[in-house]
Amino acid sequence: MIRFMDNIQLIFLSPSFNEVVGDVLRQRLKSSGHLNVVTKPEDLDKVKQLFTKGNKVLAIDPLFCNWTVPNMLISKITNLKAICLMTRSADWVDASFTRELGIPLTNTRDFYVEAVSEWAIMMMFCLARRIPLVAKSGWQQRYGKFQGVEVMGKTVGIIGMGQIGQRIAQQCQGLGMKVQYWSPHTHNDRYWYVSLNKLLATSDVVFPTYRLSAGERMLPGETKLNRLGRKAILIDVVRIDNKDHEFLLRQVAKDKLFGYGFEEDGGNHFDKYKGNVWAGPALAWVTDRAMKLQAESWVESVVQATKGNFPNRVN
């Protein structure tokens, strides 16, 4: 394939570049353009490599810029041919603004499916065995108070049958659970399709896995969430709407929901929340394999951008 541009600058802004991008990937980058790496986070306005002459592809890690790339900064970078994000999430860069400027915006995809689904299953086991309550007690051995439940034979309800939803379904089926699902787009004949109302009312464990666009709500408010049974567990791996989140916390605190699991940036002690609440750090995707796949996807996005190809374009 013919190169899109000669003498293009590949500007990587990432504190972890040296850890995640190995020699083979670096050589691939060097064969595609002039590689410039900045690992020390600083104000983007002070990154002099962004304001040199010549064509540029910007590859950026959100930890370099605290998940924010101002539109004003983007508008000041001349000859910017693409912005390649290290993450799947792309809402920390203004997609509409970059589209108006004619700058392709790409993300990384598919690297996290196994890692996130396993993390979700781990949260399910922890909540089923009331590990947050055990931890808050100082790990006391109290048989009556900390009696858990077994998941075999239970019904799992999956909201969304995308890649993560399908993988969780496979894992739950392998554990001897009955799998039912609701999905607005993707369907899978191997599992039982039900309405969202029925899923919430009849599932012992619920996994929302359907990622909505900004401003939409994952779950349809308190009216339907009230359908969740007192012995149900809900595991959130997509960061549901804050109103739904607060409602679920109240339900657990009032003993109207068996357990609720989710991630939050920075993590927290279990004793921040009342009841059987698993509130962990945002580490679902952080495994050796997932990080390797992410680096490969990121580098491939940059290499393809130098050729005028943008398979993971989000704008």
Side-chain angles (χ1 to χ4, degrees):
M1 184 177 291
I2 298 174
R3 287 278 294 278
F4 178 50
M5 286 167 286
D6 291 324
N7 301 316
I8 190 166
Q9 300 289 322
L10 311 181
I11 303 172
F12 276 77
L13 308 182
S14 172
S16 61
F17 180 89
N18 293 326
E19 288 74 36
V20 301
V21 180
D23 292 340
V24 173
L25 293 179
R26 290 189 204 191
Q27 190 56 46
R28 181 157 166 70
L29 289 168
K30 289 177 180 179
S31 67
S32 300
H34 297 287
L35 179 61
N36 287 288
V37 179
V38 182
T39 59
K40 184 178 180 181
E42 58 182 331
D43 290 341
L44 292 174
D45 281 318
K46 297 179 181 179
V47 180
K48 61 183 181 181
Q49 289 88 341
L50 295 176
F51 307 106
T52 57
K53 295 180 180 179
N55 296 319
K56 309 174 189 70
V57 171
L58 172 60
I60 188 163
D61 175 343
L63 298 182
F64 187 94
C65 58
N66 196 28
W67 293 85
T68 302
V69 181
N71 289 345
M72 183 65 72
L73 182 281
I74 295 173
S75 67
K76 292 195 298 185
I77 304 174
T78 59
N79 299 310
L80 182 57
K81 302 305 178 182
I83 300 175
C84 300
L85 306 182
M86 187 184 188
T87 57
R88 183 199 186 282
S89 171
D91 56 6
W92 49 285
V93 176
D94 191 333
S96 297
F97 183 75
T98 53
R99 183 173 61 250
E100 290 173 4
L101 295 181
I103 301 171
L105 178 68
T106 70
N107 67 353
T108 54
R109 301 178 188 177
D110 304 336
F111 64 89
Y112 53 86
V113 173
E114 191 66 32
V116 171
S117 61
E118 289 184 4
W119 184 267
I121 296 297
M122 178 271 293
M123 285 196 285
M124 176 183 71
F125 278 128
C126 286
L127 289 166
R129 303 306 291 267
R130 296 189 167 184
I131 296 303
L133 297 178
V134 177
K136 286 188 284 189
S137 77
W139 299 95
Q140 295 181 36
Q141 184 174 307
R142 300 174 64 180
Y143 298 141
K145 185 174 182 179
F146 300 135
Q147 185 180 78
V149 297
E150 298 172 4
V151 300
M152 188 176 70
K154 294 291 192 292
T155 297
V156 60
I158 300 174
I159 300 175
M161 194 48 71
Q163 288 182 305
I164 292 177
Q166 290 186 50
R167 188 65 185 117
I168 290 175
Q170 292 170 352
Q171 292 167 326
C172 289
Q173 193 172 61
L175 292 168
M177 303 180 76
K178 303 170 186 176
V179 179
Q180 60 184 14
Y181 77 98
W182 174 85
S183 181
H185 305 300
T186 309
H187 293 268
N188 192 315
D189 293 337
R190 288 182 293 178
Y191 310 111
W192 188 252
Y193 182 86
V194 296
S195 69
L196 183 56
N197 283 340
K198 184 173 181 179
L199 182 146
L200 293 172
T202 60
S203 297
D204 300 299
V205 183
V206 175
F207 290 95
T209 70
Y210 172 47
R211 182 179 292 277
L212 298 178
S213 59
E216 292 184 280
R217 295 184 68 178
M218 168 59 61
L219 295 173
E222 294 185 11
T223 301
K224 288 189 176 180
L225 287 179
N226 268 320
R227 296 174 184 271
L228 288 167
R230 181 173 175 270
K231 295 184 178 181
I233 294 170
L234 189 138
I235 309 294
D236 174 27
V237 295
V238 290
R239 301 205 179 192
I240 61 178
D241 180 86
N242 191 59
K243 291 181 180 178
D244 295 332
H245 172 71
E246 293 297 331
F247 175 75
L248 292 167
L249 287 173
R250 291 195 299 271
Q251 290 294 89
V252 176
K254 293 186 290 187
D255 199 28
K256 293 184 177 181
L257 188 66
F258 189 88
Y260 175 37
F262 57 92
E263 292 184 321
E264 54 187 357
D265 291 325
N268 241 306
H269 298 293
F270 287 149
D271 56 11
K272 177 182 177 181
Y273 303 101
K274 184 178 180 181
N276 191 26
V277 174
W278 198 100
L283 293 173
W285 65 276
V286 184
T287 66
D288 54 353
R289 177 177 176 273
M291 295 186 75
K292 177 177 181 292
L293 292 175
Q294 182 189 36
E296 291 173 352
S297 177
W298 194 26
V299 167
E300 186 62 23
S301 291
V302 172
V303 171
Q304 290 300 318
T306 68
K307 302 175 182 180
N309 300 324
F310 310 99
N312 289 352
R313 186 167 182 169
V314 295
N315 68 345

